[in-house]
Amino acid sequence: MGYIFSQNGYVNLFWFVLLTSIGWAIFICLVLAISLFIKNPYVFWGLGIIVGLLLFLIPALLGGSLISYLFFLPILIMPGNQIIGGSIPSLSLYVQYMLTGIVYVSVTYGLIALFIKGKFYEENHQ
């Protein structure tokens, strides 16, 4: 058995469901943070699939480096099922998940802070 969270099936299922739910919440927050900058509703409707495809394809095309794994979306939304180009990272699943989650949360926080700063600038310079 390769990449699993535990030898116990119930513990493995518990961690998979918990981490998958948290991962989807982080991804949705990222998409909503990006949508703050988009005024066109038609682009907004397709934003989730566009961002999801880009975060899946670009790291896969870049290869199996650590940087690719930090932005590889399936680490968050499908923990335990992430293999890029036939290579499996040497880090444990929990470390991979935590590092990827920190990267995504940091990007989301940065986008929201940038949006708020832009709104304050617009309000004070009108």
Side-chain angles (χ1 to χ4, degrees), residues 39 117-126:
K39 305 288 187 223
K117 187 181 285 188
K119 281 295 183 187
F120 282 136
Y121 181 81
E122 287 177 7
E123 290 174 1
N124 293 332
H125 290 87
Q126 285 187 9

Side-chain angles (χ1 to χ4, degrees), residues 56-108:
F56 183 83
L57 290 176
I58 292 174
L61 293 175
L62 291 176
S65 67
L66 181 61
I67 300 299
S68 297
Y69 277 104
L70 291 179
F71 289 98
F72 194 49
L73 184 61
I75 289 177
L76 281 180
I77 62 174
M78 297 183 308
N81 297 321
Q82 60 277 9
I83 296 174
I84 298 178
S87 64
I88 299 173
S90 60
L91 300 172
S92 75
L93 283 176
Y94 298 109
V95 173
Q96 288 177 37
Y97 187 87
M98 188 174 11
L99 289 175
T100 305
I102 288 170
V103 167
Y104 275 81
V105 169
S106 299
V107 170
T108 303

Side-chain angles (χ1 to χ4, degrees), residues 20-83:
T20 301
S21 302
I22 293 170
W24 275 106
I26 291 171
F27 175 68
I28 289 169
C29 289
L30 175 67
V31 170
L32 290 175
I34 294 171
S35 73
L36 293 173
F37 297 96
I38 296 175
K39 305 288 187 223
N40 189 337
Y42 300 109
V43 175
F44 171 73
W45 292 341
L47 186 64
I49 193 154
I50 292 168
V51 171
L53 282 173
L54 289 175
L55 291 174
F56 183 83
L57 290 176
I58 292 174
L61 293 175
L62 291 176
S65 67
L66 181 61
I67 300 299
S68 297
Y69 277 104
L70 291 179
F71 289 98
F72 194 49
L73 184 61
I75 289 177
L76 281 180
I77 62 174
M78 297 183 308
N81 297 321
Q82 60 277 9
I83 296 174

